[in-house]
Amino acid sequence: MSGNAKMNTVRCSRRLRRSLGALAFAFVLLPCLVHGPDAHAQGKADLRNHVLGIGNCPPWNAQALEVCYNSLERVMNAISPRLAAGPDNQHLLINEGASASALKLKATELANRLGPEDRLIIYANLPLGQLEGDQPDEENGFVLEFWADEKPETAAAAISDGIWITAPAFAAMLHTIPAAQVILILDTNDSYAVNMHLLDRHTVDHEDRPEALVSSAGDGQSANYSADRTISLFAKHLALALRETEGSLQDVMSVAVSGTRQSAIPICATLKEHKGETGEQVADCQQVPQIHDPEALLAGTLLLPLPESGKTE
């Protein structure tokens, strides 16, 4: 115990002896010993949370525009209060506002605003594509498809025109933001493209910064919608877990992963039955979200307790 800790403990014990007697002294002194004089300082050192929500359901894609609205609204409304991220610390890019140029402006804003006392949590719901002629690997070949009124003729053209962003370029953009920690929750298909190489082994790296990545589907898997197709399946279960699960972000993610995996089973069976009748090829829809967290950031990101009712509005 440090000298300051000993002094604080002595002061505490003197007050207790004078006012409460021996029994109360033994009972009340315990918090002084457990928490010590640095507890308040540790509270001040907690990182400020900022939440960036990105949702792009382009008009040429299969899902309705409302899927992104619903997914982002449910997740942002559930996660922001649990992280004590007020309106000034919430950032939203949705559909027409989720263009590549808008993301670059937002990244510049965050790079100028965030620092070593901040944590950035990103929830991104958008399509993932692949460059023509490239084989999937851990370093390149994947494209984040941001808003476009019409589908570009090729991914290469979309990148050249600044409409879409390659996965490595997206990682490089995140590394320009000097937050102390970054947690990326990517709600898209095929997490082969979004393993930790995207963040902590990238050529443009933010050295020594802890980072975590959660992807809503496993290697080669498609990301399902809810049974009524109004929201992404992972967004539905992430929001539900945030509204019902105490503890850390790791606890919430574990519940969301389990709920998504279980709910995908009947949805996938229905898809296979329907497409089997039409002769269409069915992608791997047995959705199992993946957590990549080598430095246990999720476990260290504590959430505010739920209201006594156990649910938020």
Coordinates of all heavy atoms in Angstrom, one line a residue, residues 128-209:
L128 N -20.6 -5.7 -48.5 CA -19.2 -6.0 -48.7 C -19.1 -6.7 -50.1 O -19.7 -7.6 -50.4 CB -18.7 -6.9 -47.6 CG -17.2 -7.2 -47.7 CD1 -16.4 -6.0 -47.3 CD2 -16.9 -8.4 -46.7
G129 N -18.2 -6.1 -50.9 CA -18.0 -6.7 -52.2 C -16.5 -7.1 -52.4 O -15.7 -7.1 -51.5
Q130 N -16.2 -7.5 -53.6 CA -14.9 -8.0 -53.9 C -14.5 -7.5 -55.3 O -15.2 -7.4 -56.2 CB -14.9 -9.6 -54.0 CG -13.5 -10.2 -54.1 CD -13.6 -11.7 -54.1 OE1 -14.5 -12.3 -53.6 NE2 -12.6 -12.3 -54.6
L131 N -13.2 -7.1 -55.3 CA -12.6 -6.6 -56.6 C -12.6 -7.7 -57.6 O -12.3 -8.9 -57.3 CB -11.2 -6.1 -56.4 CG -11.1 -4.7 -55.8 CD1 -9.6 -4.4 -55.4 CD2 -11.6 -3.6 -56.8
E132 N -13.0 -7.3 -58.8 CA -13.0 -8.3 -59.9 C -11.6 -8.9 -60.2 O -10.6 -8.2 -60.2 CB -13.6 -7.7 -61.2 CG -15.0 -7.1 -61.1 CD -15.0 -5.7 -60.5 OE1 -14.0 -5.2 -60.2 OE2 -16.1 -5.2 -60.5
G133 N -11.6 -10.3 -60.3 CA -10.4 -10.9 -60.6 C -9.4 -11.2 -59.5 O -8.4 -11.8 -59.6
D134 N -9.8 -10.7 -58.3 CA -8.9 -10.9 -57.1 C -9.4 -12.1 -56.3 O -10.6 -12.3 -56.2 CB -8.9 -9.7 -56.2 CG -8.1 -8.5 -56.8 OD1 -7.3 -8.7 -57.8 OD2 -8.2 -7.4 -56.3
Q135 N -8.4 -12.8 -55.8 CA -8.8 -13.9 -54.9 C -8.8 -13.4 -53.5 O -8.0 -12.5 -53.1 CB -7.7 -15.0 -55.0 CG -7.7 -15.7 -56.3 CD -9.0 -16.4 -56.6 OE1 -9.5 -17.1 -55.7 NE2 -9.4 -16.4 -57.8
P136 N -9.8 -13.8 -52.7 CA -9.9 -13.3 -51.3 C -8.7 -13.7 -50.5 O -8.1 -14.8 -50.6 CB -11.1 -14.1 -50.8 CG -11.9 -14.6 -51.9 CD -10.9 -14.8 -53.0
D137 N -8.1 -12.7 -49.8 CA -7.0 -12.9 -48.9 C -7.2 -11.9 -47.8 O -8.1 -11.2 -47.7 CB -5.7 -12.8 -49.6 CG -5.4 -11.4 -50.2 OD1 -5.7 -10.4 -49.5 OD2 -5.0 -11.4 -51.4
E138 N -6.2 -12.0 -46.8 CA -6.3 -11.2 -45.6 C -5.9 -9.8 -45.9 O -6.1 -8.9 -45.0 CB -5.5 -11.8 -44.5 CG -6.0 -13.2 -44.1 CD -5.2 -13.7 -42.9 OE1 -4.1 -13.2 -42.7 OE2 -5.6 -14.6 -42.2
E139 N -5.4 -9.4 -47.0 CA -4.8 -8.1 -47.2 C -5.5 -7.2 -48.1 O -5.5 -6.0 -48.0 CB -3.3 -8.3 -47.6 CG -2.4 -9.0 -46.6 CD -1.0 -9.0 -47.0 OE1 -0.6 -8.0 -47.7 OE2 -0.3 -9.9 -46.6
N140 N -6.1 -7.8 -49.1 CA -6.8 -6.9 -50.1 C -7.9 -7.7 -50.9 O -8.1 -8.8 -50.6 CB -5.7 -6.4 -51.1 CG -4.9 -7.5 -51.8 OD1 -5.5 -8.5 -52.2 ND2 -3.6 -7.4 -51.7
G141 N -8.5 -7.0 -51.8 CA -9.5 -7.6 -52.6 C -10.9 -7.4 -52.2 O -11.8 -7.7 -53.0
F142 N -11.1 -6.8 -51.0 CA -12.5 -6.6 -50.6 C -12.8 -5.1 -50.5 O -12.0 -4.2 -50.3 CB -12.7 -7.2 -49.2 CG -12.7 -8.7 -49.2 CD1 -11.5 -9.4 -48.9 CD2 -13.8 -9.4 -49.5 CE1 -11.5 -10.7 -48.9 CE2 -13.8 -10.8 -49.5 CZ -12.6 -11.4 -49.2
V143 N -14.1 -4.8 -50.8 CA -14.6 -3.4 -50.9 C -15.8 -3.2 -50.1 O -16.7 -4.0 -50.0 CB -15.0 -3.2 -52.4 CG1 -15.4 -1.7 -52.6 CG2 -13.8 -3.5 -53.4
L144 N -15.8 -2.1 -49.3 CA -17.0 -1.6 -48.6 C -17.8 -0.7 -49.5 O -17.3 0.3 -50.0 CB -16.5 -0.8 -47.4 CG -15.7 -1.6 -46.4 CD1 -15.2 -0.8 -45.2 CD2 -16.4 -2.8 -45.8
E145 N -19.0 -1.2 -49.8 CA -19.8 -0.5 -50.8 C -20.7 0.6 -50.2 O -21.7 0.3 -49.6 CB -20.7 -1.6 -51.5 CG -19.9 -2.6 -52.2 CD -20.8 -3.7 -52.9 OE1 -22.0 -3.7 -52.7 OE2 -20.2 -4.6 -53.6
F146 N -20.2 1.8 -50.3 CA -20.9 2.9 -49.8 C -22.0 3.4 -50.7 O -22.2 2.9 -51.8 CB -20.0 4.0 -49.4 CG -19.2 3.7 -48.1 CD1 -18.0 3.0 -48.2 CD2 -19.6 4.1 -46.9 CE1 -17.3 2.6 -47.1 CE2 -18.9 3.7 -45.7 CZ -17.8 3.0 -45.8
W147 N -22.7 4.5 -50.4 CA -23.9 4.9 -51.1 C -23.6 5.3 -52.5 O -22.6 5.9 -52.8 CB -24.6 6.1 -50.4 CG -25.8 6.5 -51.2 CD1 -25.9 7.5 -52.1 CD2 -27.1 6.0 -51.0 NE1 -27.1 7.6 -52.6 CE2 -27.9 6.7 -51.9 CE3 -27.7 5.0 -50.2 CZ2 -29.3 6.5 -52.1 CZ3 -29.1 4.8 -50.4 CH2 -29.8 5.5 -51.3
A148 N -24.4 4.8 -53.4 CA -24.4 5.2 -54.8 C -25.8 5.1 -55.4 O -26.5 4.2 -55.1 CB -23.5 4.4 -55.7
D149 N -26.3 6.1 -56.1 CA -27.6 6.1 -56.6 C -27.9 4.9 -57.6 O -28.9 4.3 -57.6 CB -27.9 7.4 -57.4 CG -28.0 8.6 -56.4 OD1 -28.4 8.4 -55.3 OD2 -27.6 9.7 -56.8
E150 N -26.8 4.6 -58.3 CA -26.9 3.4 -59.2 C -25.7 2.6 -59.0 O -24.6 3.1 -58.6 CB -26.9 3.9 -60.7 CG -28.1 4.7 -61.1 CD -28.1 5.1 -62.5 OE1 -27.1 4.8 -63.2 OE2 -29.1 5.7 -63.0
K151 N -25.8 1.3 -59.2 CA -24.7 0.4 -58.9 C -23.6 0.6 -60.0 O -23.9 0.7 -61.2 CB -25.2 -1.1 -59.0 CG -24.1 -2.1 -58.7 CD -24.6 -3.5 -58.7 CE -23.5 -4.4 -58.2 NZ -23.9 -5.8 -58.1
P152 N -22.4 0.9 -59.5 CA -21.3 1.1 -60.4 C -21.1 -0.1 -61.3 O -21.4 -1.3 -61.0 CB -20.1 1.3 -59.5 CG -20.7 1.8 -58.2 CD -22.0 1.0 -58.1
E153 N -20.5 0.1 -62.5 CA -20.3 -1.0 -63.5 C -19.4 -2.0 -62.9 O -19.5 -3.2 -63.1 CB -19.9 -0.4 -64.8 CG -20.9 0.4 -65.6 CD -20.4 0.8 -66.9 OE1 -19.3 0.4 -67.3 OE2 -21.1 1.6 -67.6
T154 N -18.3 -1.5 -62.3 CA -17.3 -2.4 -61.7 C -16.9 -1.9 -60.4 O -17.0 -0.6 -60.1 CB -16.1 -2.6 -62.6 OG1 -15.4 -1.4 -62.7 CG2 -16.5 -3.1 -64.0
A155 N -16.4 -2.7 -59.5 CA -15.8 -2.3 -58.2 C -14.6 -1.4 -58.4 O -14.4 -0.4 -57.7 CB -15.5 -3.5 -57.4
A156 N -13.8 -1.8 -59.4 CA -12.6 -1.0 -59.7 C -12.9 0.4 -60.1 O -12.3 1.4 -59.7 CB -11.7 -1.7 -60.8
A157 N -14.0 0.6 -60.9 CA -14.4 1.9 -61.3 C -14.9 2.7 -60.1 O -14.7 3.9 -60.0 CB -15.5 1.8 -62.4
A158 N -15.7 2.0 -59.3 CA -16.3 2.7 -58.1 C -15.1 3.2 -57.2 O -15.2 4.3 -56.6 CB -17.2 1.7 -57.3
I159 N -14.1 2.4 -57.0 CA -13.0 2.8 -56.2 C -12.2 4.0 -56.8 O -11.9 5.0 -56.2 CB -12.0 1.6 -56.0 CG1 -12.7 0.6 -55.1 CG2 -10.7 2.1 -55.3 CD1 -12.0 -0.7 -55.1
S160 N -12.0 3.9 -58.2 CA -11.3 4.9 -58.9 C -12.1 6.3 -58.8 O -11.5 7.3 -58.7 CB -11.1 4.5 -60.4 OG -10.6 5.6 -61.1
D161 N -13.4 6.2 -58.8 CA -14.2 7.4 -58.8 C -14.5 7.9 -57.3 O -15.2 8.8 -57.1 CB -15.6 7.1 -59.4 CG -15.5 6.9 -60.9 OD1 -14.4 7.3 -61.5 OD2 -16.4 6.3 -61.5
G162 N -14.0 7.1 -56.3 CA -14.1 7.5 -55.0 C -15.5 7.2 -54.4 O -15.9 7.8 -53.4
I163 N -16.2 6.3 -55.0 CA -17.6 6.0 -54.5 C -17.5 4.9 -53.5 O -18.3 4.9 -52.5 CB -18.5 5.5 -55.7 CG1 -18.6 6.7 -56.7 CG2 -19.8 5.1 -55.3 CD1 -19.3 6.3 -58.0
W164 N -16.7 3.8 -53.7 CA -16.5 2.8 -52.7 C -15.1 2.8 -52.2 O -14.3 3.6 -52.7 CB -16.7 1.4 -53.4 CG -18.2 1.1 -53.8 CD1 -19.3 1.9 -53.5 CD2 -18.7 0.0 -54.6 NE1 -20.4 1.3 -54.0 CE2 -20.1 0.2 -54.7 CE3 -18.0 -1.0 -55.2 CZ2 -20.8 -0.7 -55.4 CZ3 -18.8 -2.0 -55.9 CH2 -20.2 -1.8 -56.0
I165 N -14.9 2.1 -51.1 CA -13.6 2.1 -50.4 C -13.1 0.7 -50.2 O -13.9 -0.1 -49.7 CB -13.7 2.9 -49.0 CG1 -14.2 4.3 -49.2 CG2 -12.4 2.8 -48.3 CD1 -14.4 5.1 -47.9
T166 N -11.9 0.5 -50.5 CA -11.3 -0.9 -50.2 C -11.2 -1.1 -48.7 O -11.1 -0.1 -47.9 CB -10.0 -1.1 -50.8 OG1 -9.0 -0.2 -50.2 CG2 -10.0 -0.8 -52.3
A167 N -11.3 -2.3 -48.3 CA -11.1 -2.6 -46.8 C -9.8 -2.1 -46.3 O -9.8 -1.5 -45.2 CB -11.3 -4.1 -46.6
P168 N -8.7 -2.3 -47.0 CA -7.4 -1.7 -46.4 C -7.5 -0.2 -46.3 O -6.9 0.4 -45.4 CB -6.4 -2.1 -47.4 CG -6.9 -3.4 -48.0 CD -8.4 -3.1 -48.1
A169 N -8.1 0.5 -47.3 CA -8.2 2.0 -47.2 C -9.1 2.4 -46.0 O -8.8 3.4 -45.4 CB -8.8 2.5 -48.5
F170 N -10.1 1.6 -45.8 CA -11.0 1.9 -44.6 C -10.2 1.7 -43.3 O -10.3 2.6 -42.4 CB -12.2 0.9 -44.6 CG -13.1 1.1 -43.5 CD1 -13.9 2.3 -43.3 CD2 -13.3 0.1 -42.5 CE1 -14.8 2.4 -42.3 CE2 -14.2 0.2 -41.5 CZ -14.9 1.4 -41.4
A171 N -9.4 0.7 -43.2 CA -8.5 0.5 -42.1 C -7.5 1.7 -41.9 O -7.3 2.2 -40.8 CB -7.8 -0.8 -42.2
A172 N -6.9 2.1 -43.0 CA -6.0 3.2 -42.9 C -6.7 4.5 -42.4 O -6.1 5.3 -41.7 CB -5.4 3.5 -44.3
M173 N -8.0 4.7 -42.9 CA -8.7 5.8 -42.4 C -9.0 5.8 -40.9 O -8.8 6.8 -40.2 CB -10.1 5.8 -43.2 CG -10.9 7.1 -43.0 SD -12.5 7.0 -43.9 CE -11.9 6.6 -45.5
L174 N -9.3 4.6 -40.4 CA -9.5 4.5 -38.9 C -8.2 4.8 -38.2 O -8.2 5.3 -37.1 CB -10.0 3.1 -38.6 CG -11.4 2.7 -39.1 CD1 -11.7 1.3 -38.6 CD2 -12.4 3.7 -38.7
H175 N -7.1 4.4 -38.8 CA -5.8 4.6 -38.1 C -5.4 6.1 -38.1 O -4.4 6.4 -37.4 CB -4.7 3.8 -38.7 CG -4.9 2.3 -38.4 ND1 -4.7 1.3 -39.4 CD2 -5.3 1.7 -37.3 CE1 -4.9 0.1 -38.8 NE2 -5.3 0.3 -37.5
T176 N -6.1 7.0 -38.8 CA -5.8 8.4 -38.7 C -6.4 9.0 -37.5 O -6.2 10.2 -37.1 CB -6.2 9.1 -40.0 OG1 -7.7 9.1 -40.0 CG2 -5.6 8.5 -41.2
I177 N -7.4 8.3 -36.8 CA -8.1 8.8 -35.7 C -7.4 8.4 -34.4 O -7.2 7.2 -34.1 CB -9.5 8.2 -35.7 CG1 -10.3 8.6 -37.0 CG2 -10.3 8.8 -34.5 CD1 -11.6 7.9 -37.1
P178 N -6.8 9.4 -33.7 CA -5.9 9.1 -32.5 C -6.7 8.7 -31.2 O -6.3 9.1 -30.1 CB -5.1 10.4 -32.4 CG -6.1 11.4 -32.8 CD -6.9 10.8 -33.9
A179 N -7.8 8.0 -31.3 CA -8.4 7.5 -30.1 C -7.6 6.5 -29.4 O -6.8 5.8 -30.0 CB -9.8 6.9 -30.5
A180 N -7.8 6.3 -28.1 CA -7.0 5.4 -27.3 C -7.4 3.9 -27.7 O -6.5 3.0 -27.6 CB -7.2 5.6 -25.8
Q181 N -8.7 3.7 -28.0 CA -9.1 2.4 -28.4 C -10.2 2.5 -29.5 O -10.9 3.5 -29.6 CB -9.8 1.7 -27.2 CG -8.9 1.4 -26.0 CD -9.7 0.7 -24.8 OE1 -10.8 0.4 -24.9 NE2 -8.9 0.5 -23.7
V182 N -10.2 1.5 -30.3 CA -11.2 1.4 -31.4 C -11.9 0.0 -31.4 O -11.2 -1.0 -31.4 CB -10.6 1.7 -32.8 CG1 -11.7 1.4 -33.9 CG2 -10.2 3.2 -32.9
I183 N -13.2 0.0 -31.4 CA -14.0 -1.2 -31.5 C -14.9 -1.1 -32.7 O -15.7 -0.2 -32.8 CB -14.8 -1.5 -30.2 CG1 -13.9 -1.6 -29.0 CG2 -15.7 -2.7 -30.4 CD1 -14.7 -1.7 -27.7
L184 N -14.7 -2.0 -33.7 CA -15.4 -2.0 -34.9 C -16.4 -3.1 -34.9 O -16.0 -4.3 -34.8 CB -14.5 -2.0 -36.1 CG -15.1 -2.2 -37.5 CD1 -16.0 -1.0 -37.8 CD2 -14.0 -2.3 -38.6
I185 N -17.7 -2.8 -35.1 CA -18.7 -3.8 -35.2 C -19.2 -3.8 -36.7 O -19.9 -2.8 -37.0 CB -19.9 -3.6 -34.2 CG1 -19.3 -3.5 -32.8 CG2 -20.9 -4.7 -34.3 CD1 -20.3 -2.9 -31.8
L186 N -18.9 -4.7 -37.5 CA -19.2 -4.7 -38.9 C -20.3 -5.7 -39.2 O -20.1 -6.9 -39.1 CB -17.9 -5.0 -39.7 CG -17.9 -4.7 -41.2 CD1 -18.4 -3.3 -41.5 CD2 -16.6 -5.0 -41.8
D187 N -21.4 -5.2 -39.5 CA -22.6 -6.0 -39.8 C -22.7 -6.2 -41.3 O -23.3 -5.4 -42.0 CB -23.9 -5.3 -39.3 CG -25.1 -6.2 -39.2 OD1 -25.0 -7.3 -39.6 OD2 -26.1 -5.7 -38.6
T188 N -22.1 -7.2 -41.8 CA -22.0 -7.5 -43.2 C -21.8 -9.0 -43.4 O -21.6 -9.8 -42.5 CB -20.9 -6.7 -43.9 OG1 -21.1 -6.8 -45.3 CG2 -19.6 -7.1 -43.5
N189 N -21.7 -9.4 -44.7 CA -21.5 -10.8 -45.0 C -20.0 -11.1 -45.1 O -19.2 -10.2 -45.4 CB -22.2 -11.1 -46.4 CG -21.7 -10.1 -47.4 OD1 -21.9 -8.9 -47.4 ND2 -21.0 -10.6 -48.5
D190 N -19.7 -12.4 -44.8 CA -18.3 -12.9 -45.1 C -17.2 -12.2 -44.3 O -16.5 -11.4 -44.8 CB -18.0 -12.8 -46.6 CG -16.8 -13.7 -47.0 OD1 -16.2 -14.2 -46.1 OD2 -16.6 -13.8 -48.2
S191 N -17.0 -12.7 -43.1 CA -16.0 -12.1 -42.3 C -14.5 -12.5 -42.7 O -13.6 -12.1 -42.0 CB -16.2 -12.4 -40.8 OG -15.8 -13.7 -40.6
Y192 N -14.4 -13.2 -43.8 CA -13.0 -13.5 -44.3 C -12.3 -12.2 -44.5 O -11.1 -12.1 -44.4 CB -13.1 -14.3 -45.6 CG -11.8 -14.9 -46.0 CD1 -11.4 -16.2 -45.6 CD2 -11.0 -14.2 -46.9 CE1 -10.2 -16.7 -46.0 CE2 -9.8 -14.7 -47.3 CZ -9.4 -16.0 -46.9 OH -8.2 -16.5 -47.3
A193 N -13.1 -11.2 -44.9 CA -12.4 -9.9 -45.2 C -12.2 -9.0 -44.0 O -11.5 -8.0 -44.1 CB -13.4 -9.2 -46.2
V194 N -12.7 -9.4 -42.9 CA -12.7 -8.5 -41.8 C -12.1 -9.2 -40.5 O -12.7 -9.1 -39.5 CB -14.1 -7.9 -41.5 CG1 -14.5 -6.9 -42.6 CG2 -15.1 -9.0 -41.4
N195 N -11.0 -9.8 -40.7 CA -10.3 -10.4 -39.5 C -9.4 -9.3 -39.0 O -9.3 -8.2 -39.5 CB -9.6 -11.6 -39.9 CG -8.7 -11.4 -41.1 OD1 -7.9 -10.4 -41.1 ND2 -8.7 -12.3 -42.0
M196 N -8.6 -9.6 -37.9 CA -7.8 -8.6 -37.3 C -6.7 -8.0 -38.2 O -6.1 -7.0 -37.9 CB -7.2 -9.1 -36.0 CG -8.2 -9.2 -34.8 SD -9.1 -7.6 -34.6 CE -7.7 -6.5 -34.1
H197 N -6.4 -8.7 -39.3 CA -5.4 -8.2 -40.2 C -5.8 -6.8 -40.7 O -5.0 -5.9 -40.9 CB -5.2 -9.1 -41.4 CG -4.1 -8.6 -42.3 ND1 -2.8 -9.0 -42.2 CD2 -4.2 -7.7 -43.3 CE1 -2.1 -8.3 -43.2 NE2 -2.9 -7.6 -43.8
L198 N -7.1 -6.6 -40.8 CA -7.7 -5.3 -41.3 C -7.2 -4.2 -40.3 O -7.0 -3.1 -40.8 CB -9.2 -5.4 -41.3 CG -9.9 -4.1 -41.8 CD1 -9.6 -3.9 -43.3 CD2 -11.4 -4.3 -41.6
L199 N -7.0 -4.5 -39.1 CA -6.7 -3.4 -38.1 C -5.3 -3.4 -37.6 O -4.5 -2.5 -37.8 CB -7.7 -3.5 -36.9 CG -9.2 -3.2 -37.3 CD1 -10.1 -3.3 -36.1 CD2 -9.3 -1.8 -37.9
D200 N -5.0 -4.5 -36.9 CA -3.7 -4.5 -36.2 C -2.5 -5.0 -36.9 O -1.4 -4.9 -36.4 CB -3.8 -5.2 -34.8 CG -4.0 -6.7 -35.0 OD1 -4.0 -7.2 -36.1 OD2 -4.0 -7.4 -33.9
R201 N -2.7 -5.4 -38.2 CA -1.5 -5.8 -38.9 C -1.5 -5.1 -40.3 O -0.9 -5.6 -41.3 CB -1.5 -7.4 -39.1 CG -1.3 -8.1 -37.8 CD -0.9 -9.6 -38.1 NE -1.9 -10.3 -38.9 CZ -3.0 -10.8 -38.4 NH1 -3.3 -10.7 -37.1 NH2 -3.8 -11.5 -39.2
H202 N -2.2 -4.0 -40.3 CA -2.3 -3.2 -41.6 C -1.0 -2.4 -41.8 O -0.3 -2.0 -40.8 CB -3.5 -2.3 -41.5 CG -3.8 -1.7 -42.8 ND1 -3.3 -0.5 -43.2 CD2 -4.6 -2.1 -43.8 CE1 -3.7 -0.2 -44.4 NE2 -4.6 -1.1 -44.8
T203 N -0.6 -2.2 -43.1 CA 0.6 -1.5 -43.4 C 0.6 0.0 -42.8 O 1.6 0.5 -42.5 CB 0.8 -1.4 -44.9 OG1 -0.4 -0.9 -45.5 CG2 1.1 -2.8 -45.4
V204 N -0.7 0.6 -42.8 CA -0.8 1.9 -42.1 C -1.5 1.6 -40.8 O -2.7 1.4 -40.7 CB -1.7 2.8 -43.0 CG1 -1.9 4.1 -42.3 CG2 -1.1 3.0 -44.4
D205 N -0.7 1.5 -39.8 CA -1.1 1.0 -38.5 C -1.0 2.2 -37.4 O -0.2 3.1 -37.6 CB -0.3 -0.2 -38.0 CG -1.1 -0.9 -36.9 OD1 -2.2 -0.6 -36.5 OD2 -0.5 -1.9 -36.4
H206 N -1.9 2.1 -36.4 CA -1.8 3.0 -35.3 C -1.1 2.1 -34.2 O -1.8 1.4 -33.5 CB -3.2 3.4 -34.8 CG -3.2 4.6 -33.9 ND1 -2.6 4.5 -32.6 CD2 -3.6 5.8 -34.0 CE1 -2.8 5.6 -32.0 NE2 -3.3 6.5 -32.8
E207 N 0.2 2.2 -34.2 CA 1.0 1.2 -33.4 C 0.6 1.3 -31.9 O 0.4 2.4 -31.4 CB 2.5 1.5 -33.6 CG 3.0 1.2 -35.0 CD 4.5 1.4 -35.1 OE1 5.1 1.7 -34.1 OE2 5.0 1.2 -36.2
D208 N 0.6 0.2 -31.3 CA 0.3 0.0 -29.9 C -1.1 0.3 -29.4 O -1.4 0.3 -28.2 CB 1.3 0.9 -29.0 CG 2.8 0.5 -29.3 OD1 3.0 -0.7 -29.5 OD2 3.6 1.4 -29.3
R209 N -2.0 0.7 -30.3 CA -3.4 1.0 -29.9 C -4.2 -0.3 -29.9 O -4.2 -1.1 -30.9 CB -4.0 1.9 -30.9 CG -5.5 2.2 -30.5 CD -6.1 3.3 -31.3 NE -6.5 2.9 -32.7 CZ -6.9 3.7 -33.6 NH1 -7.1 5.0 -33.3 NH2 -7.2 3.3 -34.8

